[in-house]
């Protein structure tokens, strides 16, 4: 476990100083994704004083476009923390990030726990645990010297680019549209730059949530009532310049806005 903590400390130092992370030394780099998740949990403990408590998760690589972009053929998870969950309309300093990007997401808020003992989970099962959906901007940060060379285990260890989120108003599950047909549009400075649908997220965002619940259950952990889960981007990551105004519009779920000053 000394290797795990050593890797977490290197990543935490880079996160705090906003210094681009280089490849980890051979004696501490996580050997596989399972080890990457152990480093991630140690990292969360180290960062708590800075970013607050864990309030949910993001799921990356849930769409074909993102799996091809990152060259990782399966989902990956990361943490979302109390102090980096923002309300729509927020203005965030562009300089608070190494290289900030945004993604268009459907977020879910859970009404009840999904405990490890109840696994395996299906999309139908987890759907019943959802209280509401939110239109969401996932904030991602390319905080790496060259992410393409780091490998999935190190990216997982560092929360898989996660840097927070912006949430629009909640839409109760019972009044929400069928997510399969929801089109999401990414609008930057008033111009639509990309779009996708709920079906692009592992066939349905509930499939992504079931993947996360099963992934956590395999580690003996669960999801909890009130937690937020970002189910995966409907579009390829959009990298921002200072001053960019971001709007994500999701049919039937509303819109969410943020400006990176």
């Amino acid at each position: 476990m000394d290797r795990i903590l050593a890797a977490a400390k290197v990543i935490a130092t880079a996160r705090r100083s906003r210094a681009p992370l280089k490849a980890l030394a051979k004696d501490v780099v996580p050997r596989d994704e399972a080890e990457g998740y152990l480093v991630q949990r140690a990292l969360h403990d180290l960062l708590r004083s800075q970013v607050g408590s864990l309030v949910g998760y993001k799921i990356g690589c849930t769409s074909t476009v993102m799996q091809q972009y990152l060259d990782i053929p399966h989902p990956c998870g990361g943490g979302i923390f109390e102090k980096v969950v923002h309300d729509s309309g927020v203005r965030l300093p562009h300089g608070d990030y190494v290289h900030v990007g945004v993604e268009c997401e459907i977020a879910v808020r859970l009404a009840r726990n999904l405990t490890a003992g109840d696994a395996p989970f299906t999309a139908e099962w987890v759907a019943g645990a959802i209280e509401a959906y939110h239109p969401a901007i996932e904030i991602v940060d390319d905080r790496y010297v060259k992410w393409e060379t780091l490998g999935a285990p190190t990216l997982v260890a560092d929360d898989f680019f996660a840097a927070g989120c912006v949430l629009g108003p909640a839409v109760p599950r019972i009044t929400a549209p069928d997510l399969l047909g929801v089109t999401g549009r990414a609008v930057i400075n008033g111009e639509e730059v990309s779009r996708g649908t709920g079906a692009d997220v592992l066939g349905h965002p509930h499939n992504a949530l079931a993947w996360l619940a099963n992934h956590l259950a395999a580690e003996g952990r669960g999801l909890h009532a009130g937690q937020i889960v970002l189910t995966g981007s409907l579009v390829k990551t959009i990298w921002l310049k200072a001053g960019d105004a971001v709007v994500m519009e999701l049919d039937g779920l509303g819109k969410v806005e943020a400006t990176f000053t």
Side-chain angles (χ1 to χ4, degrees):
M1 295 304 288
D2 288 346
R3 291 179 55 257
I4 301 299
L5 183 57
K9 286 180 175 177
V10 171
I11 296 170
T13 298
R15 288 263 284 260
R16 292 190 187 107
S17 63
R18 293 197 286 274
L21 183 70
K22 297 181 289 190
L24 299 180
K26 288 183 179 178
D27 58 338
V28 300
V29 66
R31 297 171 182 136
D32 53 29
E33 287 179 38
E35 215 167 71
Y37 283 110
L38 292 176
V39 176
Q40 184 190 106
R41 290 168 69 175
L43 176 69
H44 291 176
D45 291 337
L46 295 174
L47 292 178
R48 187 172 294 124
S49 61
Q50 179 183 348
V51 295
S53 57
L54 184 77
V55 295
Y57 295 89
K58 61 80 56 82
I59 312 171
C61 276
T62 57
S63 64
T64 300
V65 66
M66 287 304 299
Q67 290 179 357
Q68 290 175 347
Y69 180 47
L70 296 172
D71 196 25
I72 297 171
H74 54 77
C76 297
I80 296 291
F81 300 91
E82 179 184 17
K83 293 182 183 178
V84 292
V85 176
H86 309 282
D87 291 329
S88 184
V90 68
R91 297 174 66 83
L92 297 166
H94 184 270
D96 281 359
Y97 308 90
V98 179
H99 183 203
V100 69
V102 289
E103 298 176 352
C104 178
E105 309 240 353
I106 297 169
V108 304
R109 187 181 297 274
L110 295 177
R112 56 183 174 82
N113 297 345
L114 294 170
T115 59
D118 290 331
F121 295 99
T122 63
E124 292 73 26
W125 182 322
V126 298
I130 295 169
E131 176 184 345
Y133 303 103
H134 296 261
I137 298 168
E138 186 189 350
I139 305 168
V140 294
D141 198 5
D142 176 7
R143 44 185 176 251
Y144 310 105
V145 171
K146 190 173 177 61
W147 66 259
E148 296 91 339
T149 63
L150 292 184
T154 295
L155 294 174
V156 162
D158 191 26
D159 284 315
F160 211 75
F161 299 91
C165 63
V166 186
L167 301 178
V171 178
R173 177 173 62 89
I174 55 172
T175 62
D178 181 355
L179 300 187
L180 272 184
V182 169
T183 296
R185 286 173 292 278
V187 179
I188 309 296
N189 302 323
E191 179 183 351
E192 181 181 319
V193 297
S194 192
R195 65 168 59 196
T197 71
D200 294 330
V201 179
L202 289 186
H204 194 292
H206 294 166
N207 292 331
L209 181 59
W211 173 85
L212 178 66
N214 286 321
H215 162 72
L216 291 172
E219 299 180 343
R221 298 189 294 154
L223 288 159
H224 307 293
Q227 284 188 322
I228 289 284
V229 177
L230 301 174
T231 54
S233 187
L234 280 61
V235 302
K236 186 177 172 181
T237 307
I238 301 154
W239 302 106
L240 301 180
K241 303 183 304 293
D244 280 349
V246 179
V247 181
M248 301 298 182
E249 302 172 344
L250 291 116
D251 292 342
L253 297 178
K255 67 178 182 178
V256 56
E257 307 179 49
T259 303
F260 291 80
T261 60

